[in-house]
């Protein structure tokens, strides 16, 4: 008999019971007007009939159920899940020193005005904090109207000094002409002197002859006196001629001294011209400096300049931005280069080496995962906190800004450890972590583990809970529970 037959039998039994109940009810209704003893007899008969019907129904229901169990085969077992496995493998694990620090600019370049006392006339709209600028790009334009006026005045002064030079040079030429004239007079006086000396010589010779003639009585004494007077006259003429020569030579010397003075005046005037020309050049240089240019390429970290400010006269809000007495206008992070200034306790400093790799992350942005490198370990330790600053170079990024908080994991050394695929690790609601180990050939067992560092992005270090060679479930681990039976895929 099949299941459908059993159902038909059960329906028939229920109908029979219902029919018996209906007959008894009808008989009771038809005899309701009999004597008062009849209800008692009727109740007893009804109970007996119901008991007999119940026994019959139980027998009819039990037999079909036993036959159905005997005829139906056992339910099939739950099929095993197909999974992949991987062995726990040894690997070289980088040991990390975790610390925190502040993002800062590796090289913060201040931009100072090269000319003070000028008003800032214009700042290009694209010059703002966070903007990238190239070396030589215009950051601000200073008012050059005062310089333009000063340049005009300086050029006029140069022309005036140049005219003075020409006047002094003309005076030198005049003095040189005077020297030439006086030299000609000297020459004339020297010629006069020569003639006077010649006449003197002739007079002396004649006097000597007349002395001999006078001694022999050939001439009179009067004639001899006349010749003597002629010698005296010639001698005086020579003296006067010599005096005239000396006077003329003195005039030449005086004229030459005047030439030297005039030439000195020319030199001074030429120096004045050069000074005025240098002033013009200086003003023109300052005119070029009215364009405030970026000294390096990088990111604008600070914009302190405002249109209307006067260079060299900082606003009250910028009192702390004075460098060497000059107002700072901008600050530029050279080549976008940032660094993390990490704080490391002094007892852990020996673990940190220059050049070590560093994993940098941010609590503000979980997507920030940068690889930096230790550039410098400051030699001084803070005597209050017993910490030293370790400077870590960072790659170019727009996710971090100077002043932000960041975390660093500094690689200190390498040690051997255990790793498993990342997909094998299953986090639990209570915060623990498990993996499913293959126990025997096809049964899995849940095993709590302690995790270490991620390795190469797809594996993770296991600090405890497993041993080298253990087999763990990878693909399909998220659908298992302790004690499940699995089928190992040929892929692994």
């Amino acid at each position: 008999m099949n299941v459908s037959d059993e159902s038909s039998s059960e329906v028939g039994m229920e109908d029979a019971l219902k029919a018996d109940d209906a007959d008894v009810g009808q008989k009771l209704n038809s005899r309701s007007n009999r004597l008062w003893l009849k209800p008692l007899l009727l109740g007893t008969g009804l109970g007996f009939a119901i008991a007999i019907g119940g026994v019959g129904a139980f027998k009819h229901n039990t037999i079909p159920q036993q036959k159905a169990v005997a005829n139906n085969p056992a339910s099939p077992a739950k099929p095993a899940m197909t999974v992949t496995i991987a062995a726990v493998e040894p690997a070289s694990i980088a040991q990390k020193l975790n610390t925190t620090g502040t993002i800062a600019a590796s090289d913060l370049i201040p931009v100072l005005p090269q000319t003070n006392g000028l008003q800032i006339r214009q700042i290009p709209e694209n010059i703002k904090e966070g903007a990238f600028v190239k070396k030589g790009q215009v950051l601000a334009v200073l008012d050059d109207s005062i310089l333009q006026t000063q340049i005009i005045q300086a050029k006029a002064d140069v022309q005036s000094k140049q005219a003075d030079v020409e006047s002094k040079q003309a005076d030198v030429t005049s003095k040189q002409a005077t020297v030439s004239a006086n030299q000609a007079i000297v020459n004339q006086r020297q010629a006069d002197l020569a003639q006077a000396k010649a006449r003197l010589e002739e007079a002396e010779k004649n006097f000597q002859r007349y002395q001999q003639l006078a001694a022999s009585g050939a001439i009179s004494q009067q004639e001899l006196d006349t010749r003597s007077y002629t010698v005296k006259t010639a001698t005086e003429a020579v003296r006067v001629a010599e005096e005239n020569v000396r006077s003329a030579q003195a005039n030449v010397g005086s004229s030459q001294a005047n030439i030297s003075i005039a030439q000195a005046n020319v030199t001074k005037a030429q120096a004045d011209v050069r000074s005025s020309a240098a002033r013009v050049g200086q003003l023109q240089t300052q005119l070029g400096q009215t364009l405030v240019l970026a000294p390096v390429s990088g990111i604008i970290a600070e914009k302190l300049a405002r249109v209307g400010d006067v260079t060299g006269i900082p606003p009250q809000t910028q009192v702390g931005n004075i460098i060497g007495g000059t107002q700072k206008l901008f600050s530029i992070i050279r080549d976008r280069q940032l660094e993390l200034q990490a704080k490391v306790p002094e007892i852990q400093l020996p673990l940190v080496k220059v050049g070590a790799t560093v994993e940098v992350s941010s609590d503000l942005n979980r997507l920030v995962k940068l690889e930096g490198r230790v550039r410098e370990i400051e030699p001084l330790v803070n005597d209050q906190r017993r910490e030293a600053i370790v400077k870590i170079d960072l790659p170019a990024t727009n996710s971090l800004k100077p002043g932000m908080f960041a975390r660093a994991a500094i690689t200190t050394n390498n040690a051997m450890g255990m790793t498993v695929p990342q997909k094998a690790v299953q986090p639990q609601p209570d915060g623990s972590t498990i993996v499913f180990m293959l126990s025997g050939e096809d049964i899995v067992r849940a095993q709590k583990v302690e995790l270490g560092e991620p390795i190469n992005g797809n594996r993770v270090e296991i600090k405890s809970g497993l041993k080298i060679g253990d087999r763990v479930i990878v693909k399909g681990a998220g659908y298992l529970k302790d004690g499940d039976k699995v089928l190992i895929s040929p892929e692994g």
Side-chain angles (χ1 to χ4, degrees):
M1 180 183 293
N2 55 27
V3 176
S4 60
D5 294 335
E6 287 182 6
S7 299
S8 300
S9 301
E10 291 175 357
V11 171
M13 179 63 69
E14 291 175 358
D15 292 341
L17 291 174
K18 290 178 180 180
D20 291 341
D21 292 340
D23 291 340
V24 172
Q26 289 176 359
K27 290 178 180 180
L28 289 174
N29 289 333
S30 62
R31 297 176 182 177
S32 58
N33 53 356
R34 293 185 180 182
L35 297 175
W36 59 274
L37 293 176
K38 290 182 179 180
L40 179 60
L41 296 175
L42 290 174
T44 302
L46 180 60
F48 180 75
I50 292 173
I52 293 173
V55 172
F58 175 76
K59 289 181 178 180
H60 282 84
N61 286 336
T62 301
I63 294 172
Q65 288 177 2
Q66 291 175 350
K67 292 182 179 180
V69 171
N71 293 334
N72 287 339
S75 300
K78 181 181 179 181
M81 177 178 289
T82 301
V83 298
T84 61
I85 62 172
V88 178
E89 298 178 356
S92 178
I93 309 297
Q95 304 299 308
K96 305 288 186 179
L97 171 61
N98 295 315
T99 184
T100 61
T102 303
I103 302 297
S106 294
D107 195 1
L108 190 63
I109 306 298
V111 180
L112 309 176
Q114 295 176 294
T115 300
N116 288 328
L118 299 181
Q119 191 175 51
I120 299 175
R121 186 178 67 189
Q122 179 186 0
I123 298 176
E125 293 183 359
N126 62 333
I127 300 303
K128 59 187 68 175
E129 292 182 356
F132 177 79
V133 293
K134 295 182 179 179
K135 181 178 180 180
Q137 184 173 338
V138 176
L139 302 179
V141 180
L142 307 182
D143 187 2
D144 61 358
S145 57
I146 296 177
L147 288 175
Q148 293 285 10
T149 301
Q150 291 176 342
I151 288 174
I152 293 173
Q153 293 175 348
K155 286 182 176 180
D157 188 52
V158 168
Q159 293 176 349
S160 174
K161 295 296 187 346
Q162 187 63 46
D164 189 48
V165 168
E166 294 174 357
S167 174
K168 296 295 190 295
Q169 287 176 336
D171 187 52
V172 168
T173 302
S174 174
K175 295 295 189 294
Q176 289 174 339
T178 301
V179 168
S180 298
N182 289 334
Q183 186 63 48
I185 293 174
V186 167
N187 294 337
Q188 180 63 42
R189 295 293 186 267
Q190 287 176 340
D192 292 343
L193 175 60
Q195 290 178 359
K197 287 181 177 180
R199 285 193 294 269
L200 175 59
E201 183 179 2
E202 182 180 2
E204 287 177 342
K205 287 180 180 180
N206 289 335
F207 178 69
Q208 289 175 357
R209 283 198 309 269
Y210 276 90
Q211 280 181 329
Q212 292 175 357
L213 291 174
S216 63
I219 61 171
S220 62
Q221 185 62 40
Q222 182 179 2
E223 186 68 23
L224 180 61
D225 291 340
T226 300
R227 298 300 177 186
S228 175
Y229 180 74
T230 301
V231 170
K232 292 180 179 179
T233 301
T235 300
E236 181 62 21
V238 169
R239 186 191 67 78
V240 171
E242 288 176 343
E243 185 66 29
N244 290 338
V245 169
R246 286 193 292 271
S247 176
Q249 288 176 335
N251 290 337
V252 169
S254 176
S255 298
Q256 288 177 336
N258 290 336
I259 288 177
S260 297
I261 293 172
Q263 288 176 335
N265 290 336
V266 169
T267 302
K268 181 178 181 302
Q270 289 175 335
D272 291 341
V273 170
R274 288 193 295 271
S275 177
S276 297
R279 175 62 176 164
V280 172
Q282 179 185 11
L283 292 172
Q284 288 176 334
T285 300
Q286 291 179 350
L287 184 64
Q289 292 171 348
T290 56
L291 296 179
V292 180
L293 306 179
V296 296
S297 298
I299 298 294
I300 298 177
E302 294 178 296
K303 177 189 174 185
L304 305 173
R306 300 177 301 180
V307 174
D309 288 348
V310 177
T311 58
I313 306 177
Q316 293 182 354
T317 57
Q318 298 184 21
V319 173
N321 294 302
I322 306 302
I323 299 178
T326 302
Q327 172 194 358
K328 180 170 64 172
L329 302 181
F330 302 91
S331 293
I332 297 178
I333 303 173
R334 184 197 293 268
D335 299 327
R336 304 181 180 181
Q337 187 64 49
L338 297 176
E339 66 179 18
L340 173 61
Q341 297 180 354
K343 301 173 184 177
V344 177
E346 60 180 351
I347 61 173
Q348 294 178 316
L349 275 179
L351 301 176
V352 181
K353 306 297 181 184
V354 173
T357 58
V358 184
E359 293 179 4
V360 178
S361 59
S362 170
D363 291 347
L364 185 63
N365 185 353
R366 297 294 183 180
L367 297 179
V368 174
K369 298 291 182 181
L370 303 176
E371 181 174 317
R373 194 167 295 275
V374 175
R375 184 184 82 248
E376 178 185 350
I377 302 173
E378 288 193 351
L380 298 180
V381 175
N382 186 287
D383 57 359
Q384 300 294 326
R385 298 189 301 270
R386 301 299 177 186
E387 294 174 336
I389 298 298
V390 174
K391 295 183 178 181
I392 301 167
D393 282 336
L394 301 177
T397 177
N398 294 325
S399 300
L400 298 177
K401 306 292 182 185
M404 291 179 64
F405 173 85
R407 298 186 181 275
I410 304 173
T411 301
T412 56
N413 57 11
N414 290 327
M416 293 304 296
M418 301 178 293
T419 66
V420 298
Q422 182 74 49
K423 293 181 178 180
V425 176
Q426 303 299 315
Q428 299 301 298
D430 61 357
S432 63
T433 304
I434 66 169
V435 297
F436 287 100
M437 295 176 52
L438 188 63
S439 177
E441 295 299 326
D442 55 1
I443 302 299
V444 297
R445 178 170 59 86
Q447 175 65 42
K448 282 190 176 182
V449 294
E450 180 184 359
L451 298 183
E453 298 293 334
I455 308 296
N456 298 328
N458 57 2
R459 297 186 72 84
V460 64
E461 177 190 9
I462 300 297
K463 290 187 174 182
S464 63
L466 297 175
K467 63 181 183 297
I468 300 296
D470 284 345
R471 296 175 298 170
V472 297
I473 307 302
V474 181
K475 184 179 179 181
Y479 304 98
L480 298 175
K481 61 181 183 295
D482 189 38
D484 278 355
K485 187 174 183 179
V486 295
L487 178 64
I488 307 302
S489 170
E491 300 176 2

